[in-house]
Amino acid sequence: MKRYIQDLSTCIGEEVTLQGWVYNKRESKALIFLILRDGSGIVQCIIAQDDIGENSFAEVSSLGLESSVRITGKVVEDTRQHGGVELHVNAVEVIQNVADYPISKKEHGIEFLMDNRHLWLRSRRQWAIMRVRNTIIFAIHRFFQKEGFVQMDAPIFTGNACEGTTDLFETDFYGRPAYLSQSGQLYGEAMAMAMGKIYTFGPTFRSEKSKTRRHLSEFWMIEPEMAYYDIFDNMDLIEDFIKAVVQAVLAENKDELEILERDVEALEKACGEFIRLNYDDAVAIIKGEKDVDGKTTIETLKADIADREAEKSELEADIEERQALLDKGGMKKGKVAYHQSTIDKNKQRIKQIEEDLRNLPQWIESAENFKYGSDFGGSDETVLTRMFDVPVMVYDWPHAVKAFYLKRNPEHPEFARGVDLLAPEGYGEIVGGGERETNEEWLKEKIIEHELPMSEFEWYLDLRRFGSVPHAGFGLGLERLVAWICKLSHVRETIPFPRMYGRLEP
RNA sequence: GCCUCCAUAGCUCAGUUGGUUAGAGCGACGGACUGUUAAUCCGCAGGUCCCAGGUUCAAGUCCUGGUGGGGGCGCCA
């Protein structure tokens, strides 16, 4: 029977054989502490020379990181260890002895790690992120299946740019130009008319040359579409859905969130009632005309700048102090190394702060000069959501800045019934959706206005000719949701092999 | 596409107003140590200072142009 590390706490006292890789190793003359990982978890293995013999001990002693091994030993309770158990080894079978594994236990830069993504996935933090991603994916299916949705997927090859706005990846489809799908939504509408409630779950492609923490060229999107739903039904669903997913992660990934040093309390708070703002109210808050709990965005941003500047001078003083100690000399080697590494860390932090100090004034300017009627920029979203500790839904957008298929508010036709869900802690848009236009004539007008080829949309217009009903839906960017839940600084760590501007390998 | 910061050992970085033989930590390698948690300690090896021009008696350092990367904006999920 195959045994996995995650199950060891249930077999204390038993002898088991584990198959895995050497995650880390510490050794002394006749004792080796080998940290074994097998994909399900990690466990410390105690290998004593007396227990496995001189030859085997010498072989284990020579193992490099990520060597593959089969280890047999007795499971012993040890509360000092993370999983509460360790393995007292009596036999080690070496499958492969590895030399010079490129990723060490120390710090690495992002470019090096991305070049070694195929190996980086083995490290603890990446392992935790992928486990959370898996929980999220499963929770998404569980939620929709329980709510009576049917998964039906949209095609990936499309003959036209369905929204006509963004840059698409062009491919050759038997001699015809075809594009990789940037959204399955229009197809989702057709499928919802067949099934009532559907959701698509698949890859989506955008060829914008974006270089920010929230963009990928290839990402996974979940797009539910519901017949007989209006904008408010839609918002209720979004809220229930996001809460269900966050709660699943809180319940199932305690260890992973701890590895990621995620502030769990912030996630728990985010499961409170979501804020719903129409465009006008959201704009007033962004511009600093309206306060939230007695504070305006501009004040908050200025306070941020002051905090950063204070932190910077503190760090500079600390560096100077340590440098003076080092210059005086006569310090032990370990102490010298400690001070030097602290100085380096402080310098790194100062670099980050300086970057923030370059960006924050731009954000203030963008917020103060926000032009009523335009769409929110990345910084506007960040500025707005940092005022709340729950997600914010902004609805009823100026129709001119939103997609052609959104329904106009019948009472205020200058607004379209779109809704964006902005995640807290500065993460910004993770969901975009809305109620769809059902009036065939208005839709045609919009298609002409957006200079889209009418012939390509005949099938879409058919949906308004044959049993047209109010309907709504939304698209969720999986990687952005993972980034927020794990509190990562960039979406590139949320997908096994990210595809983005300048990154096609590995 | 625009703005901005950066590129020095396998990795992470330091390198002062341009000046002798370019440094540290980690990793690798050799050694010491029976309870370590990024173990520690001693020793040893390791360099096309991103590339191409230029200024200068002298360039890792200054200038110009590339290439690659980080962050932000636009666009978006």
Side-chain angles (χ1 to χ4, degrees), chain A residues 126-143:
Chain A
Q126 299 307 309
W127 175 86
I129 294 167
M130 290 304 134
R131 303 259 299 186
V132 172
R133 180 185 165 103
N134 175 64
T135 301
I136 290 172
I137 291 170
F138 194 61
I140 287 168
H141 283 293
R142 201 164 46 205
F143 176 85

Side-chain angles (χ1 to χ4, degrees), chain A residues 219-222 429-432 475-483:
Chain A
F219 63 95
W220 286 69
M221 189 150 72
I222 296 90
E429 185 175 1
I430 57 172
V431 166
L476 167 84
L478 176 66
E479 286 75 17
R480 286 188 181 175
L481 179 62
V482 177

Side-chain angles (χ1 to χ4, degrees), chain A residues 231-245:
Chain A
I231 176 92
F232 300 102
D233 297 329
N234 200 19
M235 285 195 275
D236 291 344
L237 182 74
I238 291 170
E239 183 165 345
D240 290 346
F241 165 58
I242 297 295
K243 281 181 189 170
V245 172

Side-chain angles (χ1 to χ4, degrees), chain A residues 3-5 7-18 34 36 43-48 51-52 70-78 81 84-92:
Chain A
R3 292 287 198 173
Y4 293 95
I5 291 169
D7 305 319
L8 289 185
S9 57
T10 62
C11 29
I12 288 165
E14 285 176 46
E15 180 168 295
V16 300
T17 298
L18 297 170
L34 188 154
L36 186 76
V43 68
Q44 172 163 278
C45 304
I46 312 300
I47 302 162
D51 294 337
I52 65 165
R70 209 168 272 136
I71 296 186
T72 303
K74 191 176 164 192
V75 182
V76 174
E77 189 169 17
D78 188 321
Q81 302 309 322
V85 295
E86 60 180 23
L87 198 73
H88 287 194
V89 175
N90 49 45
V92 178

Side-chain angles (χ1 to χ4, degrees), chain A residues 179-460:
Chain A
Y179 305 92
L180 298 183
S181 169
Q182 59 159 345
S183 166
Q185 191 227 304
L186 302 189
Y187 297 98
E189 291 184 44
M191 296 186 285
M193 296 308 132
M195 289 291 166
K197 294 191 284 190
I198 65 97
Y199 67 105
T200 70
F201 198 145
T204 296
F205 307 89
R206 307 266 167 98
S207 73
E208 300 134 1
K209 290 177 180 168
S210 288
K211 280 176 69 175
T212 79
R213 59 185 58 195
R214 39 165 80 93
H215 280 87
L216 290 170
S217 303
E218 177 184 291
F219 63 95
W220 286 69
M221 189 150 72
I222 296 90
E223 295 182 281
E225 194 70 32
M226 300 77 68
Y228 293 104
Y229 266 54
D230 66 14
I231 176 92
F232 300 102
D233 297 329
N234 200 19
M235 285 195 275
D236 291 344
L237 182 74
I238 291 170
E239 183 165 345
D240 290 346
F241 165 58
I242 297 295
K243 281 181 189 170
V245 172
V246 172
Q247 276 157 359
V249 173
L250 283 169
E252 294 162 35
N253 293 118
K254 279 203 170 63
D255 287 351
E256 288 83 355
L257 294 174
E258 199 187 320
I259 290 166
L260 295 168
E261 295 175 312
R262 180 57 163 114
D263 175 6
V264 172
E265 216 172 283
L267 272 186
E268 283 164 351
K269 267 192 198 157
C271 291
E273 196 183 333
F274 290 9
I275 303 286
R276 299 183 190 197
L277 299 171
N278 65 28
Y279 178 81
D280 284 3
D281 290 341
V283 169
I285 292 172
I286 289 172
K287 288 178 75 88
E289 293 164 0
K290 198 170 159 183
D291 65 281
V292 176
D293 297 330
K295 274 182 296 182
T296 70
T297 51
I298 309 296
E299 286 161 8
T300 308
L301 286 167
K302 284 185 176 159
D304 275 358
I305 291 178
D307 285 353
R308 294 289 200 291
E309 273 165 353
E311 191 188 346
K312 191 182 162 188
S313 15
E314 249 170 64
L315 289 169
E316 280 167 349
D318 187 82
I319 289 173
E320 228 171 280
E321 219 171 280
R322 288 178 201 279
Q323 194 59 55
L325 283 174
L326 289 172
D327 291 345
K328 230 168 42 181
M331 209 181 282
K332 275 200 171 173
K333 203 177 166 186
K335 202 97 177 171
V336 169
Y338 169 73
H339 283 300
Q340 272 174 350
S341 92
T342 307
I343 287 173
D344 284 353
K345 265 181 207 152
N346 287 348
K347 283 186 179 173
Q348 285 299 104
R349 177 65 190 146
I350 285 172
K351 278 185 186 171
Q352 271 175 38
I353 290 173
E354 281 170 347
E355 216 147 56
D356 287 350
L357 287 174
R358 278 193 293 272
N359 290 327
L360 282 166
Q362 289 176 28
W363 292 10
I364 291 182
E365 206 191 318
S366 166
E368 275 177 334
N369 300 328
F370 185 86
K371 215 169 128 231
Y372 183 90
S374 52
D375 207 347
F376 293 177
S379 68
D380 302 319
E381 289 174 357
T382 306
V383 165
L384 176 65
T385 55
R386 286 199 318 178
M387 307 303 290
F388 303 96
D389 50 17
V390 293
V392 178
M393 285 191 272
V394 181
Y395 65 98
D396 270 5
W397 293 78
H399 75 91
V401 299
K402 285 287 176 184
F404 76 91
Y405 47 73
L406 285 176
K407 185 183 179 66
R408 304 276 279 272
N409 180 338
E411 284 147 44
H412 303 281
E414 67 273 28
F415 293 113
R417 310 230 85 163
V419 54
D420 284 356
L421 176 84
L422 311 177
E425 300 173 86
Y427 277 87
E429 185 175 1
I430 57 172
V431 166
E435 188 173 342
R436 317 307 186 187
E437 185 56 81
T438 46
N439 184 305
E440 188 186 337
E441 290 315 308
W442 289 10
L443 209 44
K444 278 182 176 167
E445 267 174 39
K446 274 285 184 182
I447 290 170
I448 292 163
E449 196 183 305
H450 285 248
E451 295 178 342
L452 300 170
M454 189 64 72
S455 60
E456 300 279 348
F457 289 89
E458 282 303 321
W459 69 264
Y460 186 64

